Amino acid sequence: MSTLAPLRLLREPWNASEGNQSNAMVGASGSWCQGLDIPNELFLALGLVSLVENLLVVAAILKNRNLHSPTYYFICCLAVSDMLVSISNLAEMLFMLLLEHGLLVMRPSIVRHMDSVIDMLICSSVVSSLSFLGVIAVDRYITIFYALRYHSIMTLQRAVVTMASIWLISTVSSTVLITYYHSNTVLLCLIGFFLFMLVLMLVLYIHMFTLARHHLHSISSQQKPPTTHRGGSLKAAVTLTILLGVFFICWGPFFFHLILIVTCPTNPFCTCFFSYFNLFLILIICNSMIDPLIYAFRSQELRRTLREVVTCSW
């Protein structure tokens, strides 16, 4: 797959010369250093599946009035972030196919401009996905620990301001990243943001599960059935933990790739890791494809609405 300009430089770091890269490959000779040849059709197919799935999630949330709450609005925004990954992937594939088959003729300057626009979509989806996962975790935390004050704390107005702020920050940060993609400082900021959000969500989830475990022990000692509210909160925490795990597995290799670019761009083993960049892109697309499946199977209300959307039971 021919990646776009800044992404291509992420795959083959700019601060490692061609000679150094060649020597590194020879020094770490082995078939595993040759990377994976992933066909463009696979990128296209996964992008289409992800796009359809996330469209269904957005449609289901908009359709069902019972899902018109801050929590599901945040989930809807997360689905839109996943759609950005799919749209950017599909746009890149179609753009490349049209150019390769001579069906589209454009000046090099316009091609570079299109590359930057698509890269901005990808980078914006990274920042917004991380941000909304963090916001959803905070929302669930408030639901569990401040249940009686939830509606006064997480008002619709505050939710709208939060969503608008995240989209604005994502757009600005992606523009800066694409403009200064040669700078290690920009990459370090992106890596730091990723690690900060992971630590934040892990701390919140550990606290939530600690409370849930204590509550279950109390119920067992008193031999009382669990309350609906606590059961629902525990289920929500499990769902978000699964989302976090899937996100870490799918995005982790990409961010580890960025760390290696900053720390060891010419190291033979790091160079071998760089050769699997296309696999990291596949994992990113898989993340946007897996998230809607988790929503559908973990939320009974959303699952029912998705069934109505699919069968056109409006």
Side-chain angles (χ1 to χ4, degrees):
M1 176 183 177
S2 176
T3 54
L4 302 176
L7 292 183
R8 182 171 61 251
L9 291 173
L10 291 181
R11 181 179 63 185
E12 300 174 359
W14 56 87
N15 43 358
S17 64
E18 292 183 3
N20 288 336
Q21 289 180 5
S22 299
N23 293 333
M25 292 296 290
V26 172
S29 59
S31 59
W32 71 279
C33 289
Q34 302 304 316
L36 293 177
D37 184 17
I38 301 177
N40 290 338
E41 290 77 11
L42 179 59
F43 282 92
L44 189 61
L46 292 178
L48 284 172
V49 173
S50 174
L51 179 60
V52 171
E53 287 181 347
N54 285 285
L55 278 174
L56 288 175
V57 171
V58 173
I61 293 175
L62 294 178
K63 175 182 183 296
N64 192 338
R65 292 183 177 274
N66 294 331
L67 302 178
H68 291 182
S69 64
T71 298
Y72 282 100
Y73 285 150
F74 295 145
I75 292 176
C76 182
C77 287
L78 181 58
V80 174
S81 298
D82 290 336
M83 285 172 58
L84 286 178
V85 177
S86 305
I87 292 173
S88 58
N89 173 69
L90 292 174
E92 180 186 3
M93 287 293 99
L94 294 176
F95 190 54
M96 288 167 48
L97 291 175
L98 290 175
L99 290 175
E100 290 176 359
H101 290 82
L103 299 176
L104 182 63
V105 179
M106 303 176 68
R107 293 197 302 269
S109 59
I110 299 179
V111 173
R112 287 193 297 270
H113 180 70
M114 292 296 296
D115 285 351
S116 298
V117 171
I118 296 176
D119 278 343
M120 284 182 60
L121 286 175
I122 296 174
C123 296
S124 179
S125 69
V126 175
V127 178
S128 59
S129 294
L130 275 171
S131 301
F132 282 115
L133 278 173
V135 168
I136 293 171
V138 172
D139 178 76
R140 288 293 86 196
Y141 185 87
I142 296 174
T143 301
I144 293 176
F145 288 93
Y146 303 95
L148 298 179
R149 298 171 50 199
Y150 174 80
H151 293 290
S152 61
I153 296 176
M154 187 57 68
T155 62
L156 182 59
Q157 182 179 4
R158 288 177 180 173
V160 171
V161 171
T162 300
M163 291 183 289
S165 300
I166 289 176
W167 286 119
L168 178 61
I169 294 173
S170 299
T171 303
V172 173
S173 60
S174 63
T175 303
V176 173
L177 178 60
I178 296 304
T179 304
Y180 301 100
Y181 62 85
H182 279 288
S183 174
N184 280 348
T185 303
V186 174
L187 292 182
L188 287 174
C189 290
L190 183 60
I191 294 169
F193 178 67
F194 175 77
L195 295 177
F196 170 77
M197 295 305 297
L198 279 180
V199 171
L200 173 64
M201 288 184 278
L202 284 174
V203 169
L204 293 178
Y205 291 145
I206 290 174
H207 197 185
M208 282 190 282
F209 277 116
T210 300
L211 175 66
R213 184 178 180 182
H214 175 74
H215 182 71
L216 291 176
H217 279 304
S218 299
I219 292 174
S220 300
S221 61
Q222 298 175 12
Q223 294 184 349
K224 293 181 179 180
T227 62
T228 303
H229 172 72
R230 292 295 184 181
S233 299
L234 178 60
K235 183 178 180 180
V238 172
T239 300
L240 295 174
T241 303
I242 294 174
L243 286 172
L244 175 61
V246 170
F247 187 90
F248 180 79
I249 292 173
C250 293
W251 281 99
F254 175 78
F255 278 92
F256 186 61
H257 180 99
L258 299 185
I259 294 174
L260 295 183
I261 288 178
V262 176
T263 58
C264 60
T266 60
N267 183 279
F269 297 100
C270 295
T271 306
C272 284
F273 192 82
F274 297 152
S275 65
Y276 287 86
F277 186 75
N278 284 344
L279 176 60
F280 308 152
L281 294 182
I282 285 290
L283 289 176
I284 291 173
I285 298 173
C286 287
N287 175 78
S288 61
M289 187 175 62
I290 293 172
D291 283 351
L293 298 179
I294 298 176
Y295 305 146
F297 283 104
R298 299 294 299 179
S299 172
Q300 183 177 359
E301 184 75 13
L302 185 55
R303 185 169 61 247
R304 180 183 62 82
T305 309
L306 280 173
R307 190 180 302 114
E308 294 177 358
V309 171
V310 172
T311 57
C312 300
S313 301
W314 297 83

